[in-house]
């Protein structure tokens, strides 16, 4: 283990968006504790993923509000995602952000040329093509590409940087769903996406809601080696100062019925941490009652869900 922790000198940590050292340490996580929690929660050994580091730091970029983890080399490997893929709920064929993006594309670029980054087996590509879009996907997993091609979908085994060079300035839209939060170099990822767009083209991004209930639940899925950044509407708003884009809109998914129990757990944990008196009002019984109520559709209308969606337009 590296006794110095991540990355040994907090003063040397730079924002993955701005490159500035104007960042603050939010929290430091002991690597042994992270490894233990992954085993307890999912039965997965992430020892090799953490590459001998003694600790992981969560930092916040002062200029953008983006929270990110360092060291950067603890981002998950293909082996981690192979293990996660064995969980029947991990990869979903239907996502709320798919519907949000399709509605935006229909309104702004009907019939347009769309590239999905990290498209997996091509579920969204298939839906987009059915909606009349000239959609294709790129993916770095050969297994996923083979599965997509077996269904006749235009999915390529191609790196984003190579795709950006090939299609520079030609695409009407680029999209990525539940991908950006896994990437250590978020600035590079976004620059490549924008480079592939024509002026006026749009970038649709779906990420976990960094201001949502999940961050209070203690799940290791919200941190390395799984997630490397936490996004909020403010962080997306800041991109207009760094890249040739403007933020069109952000939206948060409604709370899903199956997340009612986790929502109650996270909301209660947040209240108890911020308001000491809350521990007397909010306990196991009241949390369970809230979870039951939140399974009703009417009650969930005001609750913020797990996914943050952002639509940006290329300018200039």
């Amino acid at each position: 283990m590296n006794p110095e922790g991540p990355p040994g000198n907090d003063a040397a940590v730079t924002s993955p968006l701005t490159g500035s050292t104007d960042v603050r340490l939010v929290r430091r996580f002991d690597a042994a504790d992270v490894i233990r929690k992954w085993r307890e929660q999912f039965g997965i050994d992430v020892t090799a993923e953490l590459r001998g580091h003694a600790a992981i730091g969560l930092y916040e970029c002062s200029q953008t509000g983006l929270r990110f983890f360092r060291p950067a080399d603890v981002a998950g490997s293909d082996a981690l995602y192979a293990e996660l893929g064995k969980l029947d709920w991990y990869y979903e064929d239907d996502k709320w952000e798919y519907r949000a993006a399709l509605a935006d594309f229909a309104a702004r670029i009907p019939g347009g040329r769309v590239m999905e980054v990290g498209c997996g087996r091509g579920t969204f590509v298939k839906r987009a093509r059915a909606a009349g879009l000239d959609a294709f996907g790129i993916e770095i997993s050969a297994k996923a590409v083979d599965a997509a091609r077996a269904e006749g979908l235009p999915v390529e085994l191609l790196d984003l940087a190579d795709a950006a060079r090939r299609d520079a300035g030609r695409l009407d839209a680029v999209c990525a769903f539940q991908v950006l939060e896994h990437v250590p170099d978020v600035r590079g990822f976004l620059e490549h996406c924008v480079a592939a767009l024509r002026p006026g083209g749009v970038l649709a991004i779906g990420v976990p809601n960094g201001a949502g209930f999940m961050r209070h639940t203690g799940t290791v899925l919200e941190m390395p080696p799984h997630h490397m950044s936490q996004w909020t509407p403010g962080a997306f708003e800041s991109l207009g100062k760094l890249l040739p884009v403007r933020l069109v809109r952000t939206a948060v998914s409604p709370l899903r019925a199956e997340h009612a129990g986790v929502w109650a757990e996270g909301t209660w944990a947040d209240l108890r941490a911020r308001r000491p008196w809350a521990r007397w009002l909010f306990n196991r019984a009241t949390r369970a009652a809230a979870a039951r109520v939140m399974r009703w559709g009417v009650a969930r209308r005001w609750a913020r869900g797990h996914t943050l969606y952002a639509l940006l337009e290329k300018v200039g």
Side-chain angles (χ1 to χ4, degrees):
M1 289 280 186
N2 172 10
E4 294 184 340
N9 179 8
D10 289 333
V13 176
T14 60
S15 165
L17 276 179
T18 66
S20 168
T21 56
D22 186 12
V23 304
R24 71 178 183 93
L25 176 67
V26 176
R27 183 178 175 185
R28 199 180 298 279
F29 298 87
D30 180 73
D33 190 46
V34 173
I35 292 168
R36 176 183 60 80
K37 288 182 177 180
W38 270 93
R39 285 174 176 156
E40 290 176 353
Q41 294 181 23
F42 299 105
I44 297 175
D45 184 2
V46 298
T47 303
E49 303 285 341
L50 301 189
R51 299 179 179 273
H53 294 289
I56 298 167
L58 173 63
Y59 300 85
E60 182 174 279
C61 172
S62 301
Q63 298 173 28
T64 66
L66 178 72
R67 289 191 171 189
F68 60 96
F69 293 94
R70 287 296 182 266
D73 63 356
V74 297
S77 67
D78 289 344
L80 173 67
Y81 291 100
E83 288 298 311
L84 287 168
K86 296 175 183 178
L87 304 173
D88 56 10
W89 49 264
Y90 187 73
Y91 289 111
E92 297 179 303
D93 288 336
D94 184 35
K95 292 184 173 73
W96 168 83
E97 58 265 40
Y98 288 177
R99 297 187 292 277
L102 287 174
D104 282 331
F105 293 166
R108 300 179 68 92
I109 55 158
R113 180 73 166 159
V114 179
M115 176 175 72
E116 182 187 5
V117 182
C119 67
R121 295 168 293 184
T123 302
F124 178 78
V125 171
K126 184 176 182 178
R127 292 183 60 167
R129 293 181 71 82
L133 292 159
D134 181 14
F136 70 100
I138 62 171
E139 173 60 54
I140 59 174
S141 166
K143 185 176 181 180
V145 171
D146 288 344
R149 288 178 174 172
E151 290 194 46
L153 296 172
V155 171
E156 303 173 80
L157 187 67
L158 189 63
D159 178 81
L160 174 57
D162 293 332
R165 282 189 289 270
R166 184 192 67 185
D167 295 320
R170 297 171 52 195
L171 302 181
D172 297 301
V174 174
C175 55
F177 306 113
Q178 309 301 325
V179 174
L180 181 60
E181 69 274 15
H182 301 277
V183 178
D185 180 15
V186 293
R187 176 70 176 261
F189 181 94
L190 292 168
E191 286 178 339
H192 290 318
C193 289
V194 173
L197 291 170
R198 62 166 174 79
V202 292
L203 172 60
I205 300 286
V207 292
N209 177 15
F213 62 91
M214 288 295 289
R215 65 177 176 152
H216 304 297
T217 63
T219 175
V220 291
L221 289 178
E222 295 295 302
M223 63 181 302
H226 191 236
H227 289 174
M228 294 298 294
S229 59
Q230 298 175 349
W231 290 81
T232 61
F236 280 112
E237 181 72 42
S238 73
L239 296 180
K241 300 176 182 178
L242 306 171
L243 301 169
V245 297
R246 72 173 185 90
L247 181 64
V248 177
R249 73 181 185 104
T250 60
V252 177
S253 65
L255 182 67
R256 293 163 51 173
E258 58 267 37
H259 287 165
V262 183
W263 175 89
E265 176 188 346
T267 301
W268 262 229
D270 180 36
L271 284 170
R272 287 164 66 95
R274 291 188 294 109
R275 301 287 187 268
W277 52 264
R279 68 184 63 231
W280 301 105
L281 295 176
F282 303 121
N283 51 44
R284 185 175 299 177
T286 54
R287 187 177 69 199
R292 288 194 296 271
V293 171
M294 294 308 295
R295 290 188 179 94
W296 303 342
V298 174
R300 292 199 310 276
R301 288 180 181 176
W302 59 269
R304 296 165 66 86
H306 174 258
T307 298
L308 171 64
Y309 171 82
L311 184 72
L312 303 111
E313 181 183 45
K314 184 174 181 177
V315 297

